[in-house]
Amino acid sequence: MPKVMSYKAGSIIFFAGDKDERIFILQNGKVELSAVDIVSELEIKEQVKQGDFFGVKNALIKEQRTDTARAVSDCQVIALTPQEFEKSFSANREVMLKMLTSFNRSLRSLHYSTETLLKKRDTAASREDGMFAIAKAYFNSERYFSAVYQCEKLLRDIHELSNKDAITELLGEARVKATSQAEMELKSHSSSATASDDESKTIKQFSLPVFDRFTKKYSDGDVIISEFTKSKSFYFVKSGEVAVEKLINGNMKRYGIVKPGEIFGEMELLEESTRQATVIARGPVSCLKFNKDNFNSVVVNNPIIAMNMLRLVCKRIFEQRRDLKILCIKDWSVRVADIFLKYVEVQKPVGVDEEDQSRTIYCTIDDIAQDASLCLNDTRDELNKYVARKKISVYDDRIVIKNIMDIKRTVDSYYANSEEEKKGQKK
């Protein structure tokens, strides 16, 4: 049963770092949320309005709190478990839509912080310039199939092109390179990840024959959504996986992987904006493609799918915070070490009491380079340093970490030293 709880002015409802699965609704009084900005390291404060929820993001995905909630005045709150929240509010269209919109704004803010940190300088004057820049970025990174798909999409979608000759020339070069690349042995991108219970329920619902007409199939490297284009559709992944990427400084920066049971392309529909990222297929992909009019009927008005969508956005926020924190590490070697930890944490928490501390993470050098926002040569150099010290072994599709606790100590030591430096500067 939900509980009504009273707090005196100045008392703490929860601290940043707590692992507390309660969700709160402010009944009366004043509550303030405070958090430290990852990039600027300045404190950010936000007032909770009467009747608003707080503590939702971390509770739904069972992760540590990222902010501190303090009672500014005497107040009363209602505390719910995630199960009670789902039972009471998952069918409430207004609450679900308000939360999805609010959380997507939080996610967009993190994306903006990432772009600012990486000193994004791409200021495409037009939709054509932006899409062509993406095609060139794919070509320069030897992702020729994606370059072909993007050029074809550009020629198909925009009738009056100011740079048609250059686009056509790039398309021809990309086709030649793609054909040559296809003749070589390609690495399989099939995902070994399994869907969660919530995602499995969603997949089961979307597997009904009524949804067959919405099914679209894509091949490896196909551009499903292109940055700078208009928002018309959102997608549900039935099988395979897709990568979400953004054009930054002439290169494509990966923002995440969308797996079976998850939805993408919904952010721009909620905000009625142009596409803010590019989504490409990693291996064979089967998606359900829905138009804007379907969003309320398919997502918001379906309690199971709405809750799964809410958890997914919360998960993306947590992952983006994690990625942004990694990018703030100035020491490239430590940055790569923290990426190792990130991959391991997805599989299993790092524990100190286990006899076997070896871990295998299934990723490529390109994956590490994408996460670290480093070029391939710099990434190879950093990995080779770990190989030389016999800390890791690198293979085409995986990296074997000899002792994960050694890696964790490297990262923990970096953050401890950073905290000491900050304390010293304040004195």
Side-chain angles (χ1 to χ4, degrees), residues 104 107-108 111 225-235 244-246 264-279 292 295 316:
N104 268 317
L107 186 59
R108 188 178 296 285
H111 287 174
I225 286 176
S226 177
E227 191 176 355
F228 306 107
T229 59
K230 296 291 181 67
S231 307
K232 295 180 181 179
S233 308
F234 70 98
Y235 301 76
V244 181
E245 303 180 340
K246 195 168 179 65
F264 65 92
E266 82 295 337
M267 186 184 296
E268 292 80 11
L269 292 186
L270 288 167
E271 299 182 359
E272 298 185 351
S273 61
T274 57
R275 296 295 189 190
Q276 300 296 307
T278 297
V279 179
K292 185 176 179 179
F295 187 76
R316 286 176 179 168

Side-chain angles (χ1 to χ4, degrees), residues 49-79:
K49 296 177 182 178
Q50 188 170 316
D52 278 359
F53 293 83
F54 62 99
V56 179
K57 299 186 191 79
N58 303 91
L60 285 183
I61 58 174
K62 301 180 180 179
E63 293 290 350
Q64 292 180 338
R65 301 286 191 191
T66 54
D67 47 20
T68 296
R70 182 176 67 90
V72 178
S73 67
D74 291 353
C75 65
Q76 283 188 321
V77 301
I78 300 174

Side-chain angles (χ1 to χ4, degrees), residues 106-121:
S106 297
L107 186 59
R108 188 178 296 285
S109 177
L110 286 167
H111 287 174
Y112 178 78
S113 295
T114 301
E115 293 166 21
T116 302
L117 180 67
L118 296 175
K119 297 180 175 60
K120 178 177 179 179
R121 294 186 294 275

Side-chain angles (χ1 to χ4, degrees), residues 270-316:
L270 288 167
E271 299 182 359
E272 298 185 351
S273 61
T274 57
R275 296 295 189 190
Q276 300 296 307
T278 297
V279 179
I280 68 167
R282 283 165 54 97
V285 174
S286 176
C287 292
L288 296 179
K289 181 180 179 180
F290 299 107
N291 62 35
K292 185 176 179 179
D293 295 335
N294 298 138
F295 187 76
N296 285 335
S297 59
V298 173
V299 177
V300 183
N301 293 338
N302 188 314
I304 292 177
I305 297 174
M307 278 303 303
N308 186 36
M309 185 68 212
L310 201 60
R311 288 192 183 93
L312 173 60
V313 177
C314 292
K315 176 186 170 188
R316 286 176 179 168

